Amino acid sequence: MSEDLGYGWQGELLDLPAYLKRVGYGGDLAPTAGTLRALHRAHVTSIPFENLEIMLGRPIVLSLDAVQAKLVQRPRGGYCFEHNRLFAAALERIGFEVTALTGRVTLGSAQLRPKTHALLHVRPPDLPRDEPAWLCDVGFGSGPLEPLRFVDGEEVVQDGWGFRLQRGRTVTTWSPGTAGWEMHQTMEDGWVQRHTFALDEAFRVDFEVLNYYVSTNPRSPFTTRPFTQKFSPDALHLLDGTTLTVTRPDGSSDSRVLAPEELPETLARDFGIVLEDEDIPRLVAFTQKL
């Protein structure tokens, strides 16, 4: 076996049949734009976003074995680095050209924020080089349902949910060739910039470094409270701490505050996240301190 130098996504090590069963996909596996759209939708609507390992006192491990064990073999989810680690391996295994990117989550803020989000730049192998590639964003938790083309200003509506990619500012004055992009999403009050990113290739080792910060730093939003999301064509279910919010494509939403003891049942019912028996009291105890 040759030495692993850290390039690529180890698609040859993926249990592809198990992954396809987990996301409920039984369609064509030719590496085409149609397959990419269908796989993206299947992944986003099947595997939830969640940070619960941090609440349970365990590290987020990004080895392919660990990610498969958690997101594929167990009824659990993960956050962006786990989702895109898995999705990149699947796409690579099928035959797509996959390049990882990292982004800054803004959610409408003009303040410069650190790179804490992972995305994928994907190209079907037979796509002409003068045709735009696709942005895959399966690890944000609230869509998009399908990938977006790298076409400046193109707006798409997916089952009522609106998204737009557009060119942003050049990242630095000393690297003018590094193109900046922005993703925007329709919210209740209109278009909101969701995150910014550059076409600057990232690798597995970069995921490891960013993952360590996001999962351990007390200033990270993911170390302070449970945060889970499940996205579907009909609704976005979001659990932030003990507040459960259901948002629909038209922007309407309903929220209620749960008792900590309600969380395990809510996670199983609304998010498809089933905790091990020994983890239930640990999560309840954590949320009782919020």
Side-chain angles (χ1 to χ4, degrees), residues 3 17 34 53 59 70 74 76 112 128 132 150 195 219 242 249 270 272 277:
E3 179 184 1
E53 290 297 277
K70 183 180 174 209
R74 298 167 60 195
R76 292 287 304 276
L112 182 64
F150 276 94
H195 46 257
R219 296 182 62 184
T242 57
D270 295 337
D277 289 344

Side-chain angles (χ1 to χ4, degrees), residues 75-253:
R76 292 287 304 276
Y79 60 14
C80 65
F81 299 110
E82 297 169 281
H83 276 277
N84 285 294
R85 177 71 179 90
L86 178 64
F87 198 55
L91 295 182
E92 184 182 77
R93 173 71 173 272
I94 291 169
F96 290 96
E97 298 177 14
V98 183
T99 302
L101 308 169
T102 54
R104 306 175 190 275
V105 178
T106 57
L107 294 176
S109 172
Q111 184 178 16
L112 182 64
R113 292 181 173 177
K115 292 183 177 182
T116 58
H117 184 48
L119 312 99
L120 300 175
H121 177 286
V122 181
R123 179 179 290 275
D126 61 351
L127 185 70
R129 289 292 159 178
D130 59 351
E131 290 292 322
W134 298 83
L135 179 74
C136 291
D137 196 1
V138 298
F140 198 80
S142 57
L145 288 165
E146 297 180 3
L148 307 177
R149 295 196 309 160
F150 276 94
V151 176
D152 185 21
E154 183 172 80
E155 298 179 2
V156 297
V157 177
Q158 301 172 350
D159 294 62
W161 305 96
F163 300 92
R164 180 177 71 216
L165 272 185
Q166 67 183 54
R167 291 190 180 275
R169 62 187 291 271
T170 300
V171 180
T172 63
T173 57
W174 59 85
S175 61
T178 305
W181 285 83
E182 303 172 358
M183 178 187 280
H184 294 244
Q185 183 171 1
T186 52
M187 304 293 188
E188 186 175 7
D189 296 326
W191 288 102
V192 173
Q193 183 194 84
R194 197 170 86 172
H195 46 257
T196 66
F197 59 96
L199 299 187
D200 186 13
E201 185 172 10
F203 301 93
R204 282 182 274 141
V205 66
D206 300 313
F207 277 25
E208 294 281 355
V209 172
L210 296 176
N211 173 60
Y212 182 76
Y213 169 82
V214 170
S215 64
T216 64
N217 194 289
R219 296 182 62 184
S220 167
F222 293 122
T223 60
T224 59
R225 86 285 195 213
F227 191 82
T228 68
Q229 298 183 92
K230 185 68 181 294
F231 193 58
S232 74
D234 300 323
L236 168 67
H237 286 76
L238 185 151
L239 178 67
D240 188 346
T242 57
T243 301
L244 176 66
T245 301
V246 181
T247 302
R248 289 163 284 277
D250 63 4
S252 62
S253 64

Side-chain angles (χ1 to χ4, degrees), residues 34-97:
T35 298
L36 182 63
R37 288 192 296 267
L39 274 174
H40 193 289
R41 178 179 284 262
H43 184 116
V44 167
T45 57
S46 298
I47 307 180
F49 180 103
E50 53 125 319
N51 68 335
L52 300 179
E53 290 297 277
I54 303 170
M55 313 299 104
L56 299 171
R58 293 192 290 263
I60 304 294
V61 181
L62 297 185
S63 69
L64 187 57
D65 285 345
V67 172
Q68 287 189 101
K70 183 180 174 209
L71 276 67
V72 175
Q73 297 167 14
R74 298 167 60 195
R76 292 287 304 276
Y79 60 14
C80 65
F81 299 110
E82 297 169 281
H83 276 277
N84 285 294
R85 177 71 179 90
L86 178 64
F87 198 55
L91 295 182
E92 184 182 77
R93 173 71 173 272
I94 291 169
F96 290 96
E97 298 177 14

